[in-house]
């Protein structure tokens, strides 16, 4: 089995470059922000960070394909880098420090492309998380200064902490009743949003999280970090991986119970 460690080291280099670019414009008074056709914001920093990562990948991995939120897919082949230059752009443009660059390498295999490397870098929080297939998940300042991540062993919903992003998406999909029932069963709920709940699941500080509508670049890096930490990452339909257009992540023990609630229909 490939060890992917060279790819992981490259992903850290890419994240370092993106961090420098995004932090340079964070809270800038002249930051340019546009509205995309799907009515979500995009800043000049999103575009600059993705261009920077694409440029470095073109030099370091010219045969690999690249899929990014801002500029789509380029290239073909069995290896594809998936990039979200700023996950949490709405936070970024308002000066909220909860945002991150998500970088993942996916490889073609049974069931389609699967993530084999992931880096989640949140420079305004001073945090970074990463994983490579078969090597576990870690958090720290660098590859040499890191702590291994492990999901929790909480085995009852009544003792579990559940994180989410917002209510609106659940209502739009007709899943709000089941979502609210789940919030009543768990010990604690918090709406941290974006990448952060998945990293907390990997760390064991949160036991469950879910979002009703996502894109591949929102999920690929998060998925490999959660699974390498011993957790479970699926779509709301229970299919493993980041391909369902939505996500549910957990310590594994409570996963089926969570999905049971989130798939209840009126």
């Amino acid at each position: 089995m490939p060890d992917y460690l060279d790819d992981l080291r490259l992903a850290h280099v890419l994240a370092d470059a993106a961090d420098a670019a995004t932090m340079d414009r964070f809270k800038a008074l002249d930051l340019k922000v546009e509205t995309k056709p799907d009515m979500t914001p995009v800043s000049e920093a999103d575009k600059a960070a993705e261009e920077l990562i694409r440029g470095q990948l073109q030099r370091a991995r010219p045969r690999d394909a690249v899929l990014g939120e801002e500029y789509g897919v380029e290239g073909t082949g069995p290896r594809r880098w998936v990039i979200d230059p700023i996950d949490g752009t709405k936070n970024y443009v308002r000066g909220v420090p909860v945002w991150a660059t998500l970088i993942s390498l996916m490889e073609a295999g049974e069931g389609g492309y699967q993530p084999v490397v992931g880096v989640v870098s949140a420079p305004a929080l001073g945090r970074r998380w990463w994983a490579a297939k078969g090597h576990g998940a870690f958090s720290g300042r660098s590859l040499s200064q890191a702590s291994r991540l492990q999901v929790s062993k909480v085995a009852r919903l009544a003792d579990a902490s559940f994180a989410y992003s917002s209510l609106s998406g659940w209502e739009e999909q007709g899943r709000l009743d089941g979502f609210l029932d789940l919030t009543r069963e768990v010990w604690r709920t918090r709406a941290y949003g974006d990448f952060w709940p998945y990293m907390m699941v990997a760390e064991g500080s949160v036991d469950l999280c879910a979002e009703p509508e996502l894109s591949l670049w929102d999920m690929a890096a998060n998925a490999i970090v959660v699974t390498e930490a011993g957790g479970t990452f699926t779509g709301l339909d229970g299919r493993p991986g980041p391909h369902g257009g939505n996500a549910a992540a957990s310590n594994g023990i409570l996963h089926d119970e969570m999905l049971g609630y989130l798939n209840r229909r009126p």
Side-chain angles (χ1 to χ4, degrees):
M1 184 179 76
D3 66 18
Y4 301 111
L5 293 182
D6 283 344
D7 295 309
L8 178 61
R9 282 188 281 270
L10 174 60
H12 275 272
V13 171
L14 300 174
D16 289 342
D19 286 356
T22 53
M23 285 300 292
D24 183 59
R25 299 299 291 154
F26 184 49
K27 296 187 178 181
L29 296 179
D30 60 344
L31 182 72
K32 295 182 178 65
V33 182
E34 303 169 12
T35 300
K36 293 191 286 189
D38 65 359
M39 301 308 294
T40 62
V42 57
S43 74
E44 62 183 85
D46 291 80
K47 294 179 177 180
E50 184 167 325
E51 289 170 350
L52 189 63
I53 293 169
R54 284 175 178 270
Q56 293 201 13
L57 283 172
Q58 181 58 41
R59 293 187 291 273
R61 296 289 190 275
R63 296 182 180 180
D64 293 352
V66 181
L67 170 65
E69 179 176 10
E70 307 308 335
Y71 295 107
V73 66
E74 183 178 359
T76 60
R79 289 164 47 100
R80 176 182 291 178
W81 293 85
V82 179
I83 305 160
D84 189 343
I86 299 179
D87 182 51
T89 299
K90 292 176 182 177
N91 282 347
Y92 184 88
V93 301
R94 289 295 302 271
V96 178
V98 183
W99 50 271
T101 295
L102 311 185
I103 301 169
S104 178
L105 172 63
M106 303 186 76
E107 275 198 346
E110 291 185 21
Y113 285 89
Q114 298 300 329
V116 295
V117 167
V119 172
V120 176
S121 191
L125 294 175
R127 300 292 310 276
R128 184 178 290 183
W129 303 261
W130 63 88
K133 186 177 179 180
H135 290 278
F138 296 85
S139 178
R141 292 287 183 180
S142 66
L143 284 165
S144 60
Q145 295 179 304
S147 301
R148 187 153 190 160
L149 303 179
Q150 181 65 48
V151 297
S152 77
K153 293 181 170 58
V154 172
R156 298 192 323 138
L157 283 180
D159 300 323
S161 180
F162 171 53
Y164 60 97
S165 286
S166 67
L167 296 179
S168 58
W170 300 103
E171 187 170 26
E172 290 165 5
Q173 292 192 7
R175 298 179 187 267
L176 184 59
D177 288 347
F179 172 88
L180 292 175
D181 286 343
L182 176 61
T183 67
R184 296 181 184 107
E185 290 297 318
V186 298
W187 166 65
R188 191 170 192 250
T189 63
R190 283 294 184 271
Y192 301 106
D194 300 306
F195 68 94
W196 208 4
Y198 302 96
M199 299 304 98
M200 291 184 186
V201 168
E203 292 176 338
S205 53
V206 164
D207 312 298
L208 309 162
C209 70
E211 291 182 89
E213 187 174 4
L214 293 168
S215 298
L216 180 60
W217 47 76
D218 297 313
M219 297 184 280
N222 293 334
I224 183 72
V225 173
V226 168
T227 55
E228 284 293 320
T232 299
F233 189 105
T234 72
L236 296 177
D237 60 2
R239 184 161 61 108
H243 297 287
N246 45 49
S250 76
N251 63 5
I253 303 168
L254 298 169
H255 204 80
D256 288 344
E257 283 188 86
M258 172 174 60
L259 292 182
Y261 279 96
L262 297 177
N263 284 300
R264 286 183 183 177
R265 301 285 184 167

